[in-house]
Amino acid sequence: MGTRNYRRKTSHSEHGPGDGGRTGSWRVERPVIDQSLCIPCRRNKEACFICWLYCPEIVISRTIPPVVNLEYCKGCGICAEECPTKAIKMVDEANFAQDKKKRE
Amino acid sequence: MHVIEDGNTAAAFGVRLCRPQVIAAYPITPQTPVTERLSEYVEEGSLKAEYIPVESEHSALAVCIAASSAGSRVFTATSANGLLYMHEQVQWAAGARLPIVMCVVNRAVGAPWNIWNDQQDSISQRDTGWIQLYCADHQQIIDAVIKAYWLAEKVSIPVMVCYDGYILSHTFMPFELPEQKKVDEFLPPFQAEYALDPNFPANLNTVTLPDVRYDTRGELAHGYMEIRCLLQEDLRKALGAASEGEKMFAQIFHRGGDPYIEPYRCDDAEYVAVGLGSLTYQLRVCVDTLRKEGVKIGVMGVKFYRPFPDEVIAAALKGKKGVIVFEKALSYGYEGALASDLKAALYSHLSGTGKMPPVFNFIAGIGGREIHTKDLTGALQSVVKGGAAGEPAWIGLKL
């Protein structure tokens, strides 16, 4: 199937999830949130959300608790770096792969 | 109206007549007067444009890319190392299919440092996907700027208008200044096919995968290779569009006729000298001298270098005894780029016809070395007397 009749002659994309593909597969380390340290979780208040603010891929939700969309999170680690209470740890993806195997 | 001005002012007049909305440029010798004139026009209000002074040539073209993406008609100009500094953005502008017009005032590139004229700067940008026009006098400069906007917007490809530093940029010459009314008739306001709109956010020219893919709307979108192939196809189509534009231009302004080449005494010529820019006008003097001696010789200026008008050039040179290419630039490690392109065109169209002329290559005026007309005549005579085509020969070299 060809793209000759595609309406544009350049790379053009409109806002929407996953425009660059399922970038979650790029991830080497996964951000894991420790809710006992996370400010909005501890206070049960809409507060902090530094992780949501700094995430360059807009994959962290502004919710209690904040949720990372792992389908698109590239694992850059900026959230972990910026979290004021060090509630986010970057964990090697290999650990999760092994967990999955054990379950099977 | 007839005026007597320098080449840079001719370019600035041309730009003002085209009513650009955004101008961003960084001064570099010998381009500086173009940007000075334009900033004065904006200051005095005779040109209603946003003039954005920037900190580098890379930024100058980046500003033009952004403004063009937002649907504005834009202009920039540069020379030599400035052009090389914006090289990344030069490629980007072509891939993004933005109808930017840029004047390149030809100057030698460093190292060693040199501010005088040759054409190494724009020739080194040959393969960037821009359309390249070369001018031989001030009338051609002002006309080329106006035609450049028409063509760029017609085919969505940026255009470089190249003219020799000092020899054209800083010398005074009479030329016809077109009326604003006629330019407006030739060049209607720019209507972008797509313009950035904050109400409808979009990503432009983001990462493109090696293969085609479905976009967020579920439509199959081009891969990188498709986008690049479309640029190549449209560059080749630009040859036809240029001819159409030239016809329209000739109807309105009663000038021009052939957008690709400018032959002089070539009809019955056995030998033809070929070059880019002002050098071809100097070669006319040599042709006149040699004609008096009974040599059937002409000169052909190439005005349209990319996309290369291979068919037109091959047809014009068919059956000649010799083609002598004079160049102020070199594809280092081989020969002049124009000579190579010309040989390829002759081979493609005349191979096996027995009418393929041998091609001779001379390199002259590198780094502003004075080109003496008698030396050019001597080079032509050496070919006519039966010189062998081989490595490019340097004119006026003191080595």
Side-chain angles (χ1 to χ4, degrees):
Chain A
M1 200 174 165
T3 62
R4 182 169 292 281
N5 298 322
Y6 186 58
R7 61 207 164 98
R8 300 190 196 285
K9 291 180 172 181
T10 52
S11 161
H12 175 108
S13 55
E14 279 144 39
H15 184 71
D19 186 54
R22 301 214 180 278
T23 48
S25 65
W26 300 9
R27 201 170 55 242
V28 179
E29 288 182 327
R30 174 184 299 193
V32 176
I33 303 173
D34 181 347
Q35 293 190 17
S36 68
L37 294 173
C38 171
I39 294 170
C41 295
R42 282 175 59 189
R43 296 199 193 158
N44 198 24
K45 264 187 191 168
E46 292 227 341
C48 185
F49 291 130
I50 292 282
C51 54
W52 164 82
L53 182 66
Y54 275 82
C55 175
E57 299 297 330
I58 333 172
V59 296
I60 303 184
S61 66
R62 201 170 180 278
T63 52
I64 307 167
V67 178
V68 181
N69 183 343
L70 292 172
E71 206 150 344
Y72 299 111
C73 168
K74 294 173 179 170
C76 68
I78 290 175
C79 53
E81 179 71 26
E82 296 296 336
C83 177
T85 58
K86 302 284 167 217
I88 305 177
K89 294 271 173 306
M90 297 305 290
V91 182
D92 196 322
E93 276 293 327
N95 297 324
F96 301 99
Q98 279 163 4
D99 287 356
K100 210 174 158 192
K101 256 184 196 166
K102 268 182 210 162
R103 278 204 301 276
E104 283 163 2
Chain B
M1 186 173 69
H2 253 71
V3 291
I4 299 177
E5 273 295 352
D6 63 88
N8 279 328
T9 305
F13 279 161
V15 173
R16 180 167 62 175
L17 286 166
C18 293
R19 303 182 190 275
Q21 292 148 296
V22 175
I23 298 164
Y26 189 81
I28 181 170
T29 302
Q31 157 265 35
T32 309
V34 186
T35 60
E36 286 175 350
R37 295 288 167 280
L38 289 169
S39 67
E40 285 161 17
Y41 299 158
V42 172
E43 177 69 21
E44 74 190 19
S46 68
L47 172 58
K48 289 191 173 45
E50 196 75 38
Y51 188 96
I52 304 175
V54 284
E55 79 284 13
S56 76
E57 287 86 358
H58 188 276
S59 304
L61 195 49
V63 165
C64 289
I65 286 169
S68 186
S69 302
S72 306
R73 184 175 283 162
V74 303
F75 178 79
T76 188
T78 191
S79 293
N81 291 57
L83 179 60
L84 305 188
Y85 188 32
M86 64 164 68
H87 177 71
E88 183 219 13
Q89 300 291 313
V90 170
Q91 300 259 8
W92 193 275
R97 303 297 299 271
L98 299 170
I100 296 166
V101 171
M102 167 160 68
C103 280
V104 176
V105 190
N106 289 123
R107 166 186 145 178
V109 300
W113 201 244
N114 182 299
I115 61 158
W116 289 272
N117 166 243
D118 69 29
Q119 294 173 337
Q120 192 65 39
D121 51 358
S122 59
I123 291 294
S124 77
Q125 305 298 304
R126 179 189 66 167
D127 301 336
T128 52
W130 282 55
I131 292 166
Q132 279 197 349
L133 312 178
Y134 284 82
C135 308
D137 67 11
H138 294 18
Q139 190 69 61
Q140 286 186 8
I141 295 173
I142 188 166
D143 290 355
V145 167
I146 298 166
K147 289 181 222 171
Y149 276 107
W150 185 90
L151 184 59
E153 289 166 16
K154 178 87 181 165
V155 296
S156 299
I157 295 172
V159 181
M160 263 179 223
V161 177
C162 311
Y163 56 93
D164 290 306
Y166 307 106
I167 296 169
L168 294 179
S169 72
H170 285 63
T171 55
F172 282 67
M173 225 186 259
F175 57 92
E176 177 73 24
L177 183 64
E179 285 171 45
Q180 183 69 58
K181 199 177 70 196
K182 285 186 172 180
V183 176
D184 290 343
E185 186 190 338
F186 177 73
L187 188 72
F190 175 42
Q191 294 284 338
E193 221 173 285
Y194 172 81
L196 278 175
D197 182 346
N199 294 321
F200 301 97
N203 296 319
L204 302 183
N205 307 301
T206 48
V207 63
T208 313
L209 306 179
D211 211 338
V212 298
R213 65 181 168 94
Y214 288 95
D215 66 9
T216 49
R217 289 162 172 251
E219 289 175 30
L220 196 63
H222 307 306
Y224 181 85
M225 196 154 143
E226 283 71 28
I227 289 169
R228 286 284 155 168
C229 176
L230 289 168
L231 173 61
Q232 162 69 3
E233 277 184 9
D234 288 351
L235 270 164
R236 296 303 293 173
K237 282 185 202 155
L239 284 170
S243 182
E244 191 190 318
E246 188 79 16
K247 260 186 218 134
M248 239 176 85
F249 188 90
Q251 270 171 12
I252 296 172
F253 300 97
H254 312 293
R255 272 199 302 281
D258 190 332
Y260 316 118
I261 53 171
E262 199 181 18
Y264 175 76
R265 302 184 85 167
C266 282
D267 285 346
D268 66 333
E270 292 174 340
Y271 296 89
V272 174
V274 181
L276 297 165
S278 63
L279 184 59
T280 57
Y281 278 19
Q282 191 179 1
L283 280 161
R284 289 182 177 194
V285 181
C286 312
V287 164
D288 290 342
T289 309
L290 291 169
R291 282 269 176 181
K292 274 182 203 146
E293 292 170 16
V295 181
K296 285 188 171 172
I297 192 163
V299 56
M300 187 178 86
V302 177
K303 297 201 287 183
F304 213 86
Y305 183 49
R306 273 296 178 279
F308 197 57
D310 52 321
E311 248 182 285
V312 174
I313 288 178
L317 300 176
K318 189 177 177 183
K320 304 294 182 197
K321 278 191 186 170
V323 172
I324 311 110
V325 188
F326 290 88
E327 287 184 78
K328 290 181 179 175
L330 194 52
S331 172
Y332 281 93
Y334 192 31
E335 60 183 3
L338 177 62
S340 291
D341 287 336
L342 210 133
K343 284 181 190 173
L346 297 178
Y347 184 85
S348 302
H349 297 282
L350 303 176
S351 171
T353 61
K355 296 199 166 183
M356 193 158 68
V359 176
F360 303 83
N361 192 196
F362 288 94
I363 307 298
I366 298 293
R369 174 64 57 87
E370 188 162 356
I371 304 172
H372 296 288
T373 306
K374 64 173 173 34
D375 292 343
L376 293 176
T377 310
L380 291 169
Q381 274 166 333
S382 73
V383 171
V384 172
K385 278 180 192 153
E391 293 279 317
W394 296 62
I395 293 176
L397 187 70
K398 294 168 183 170
L399 196 65

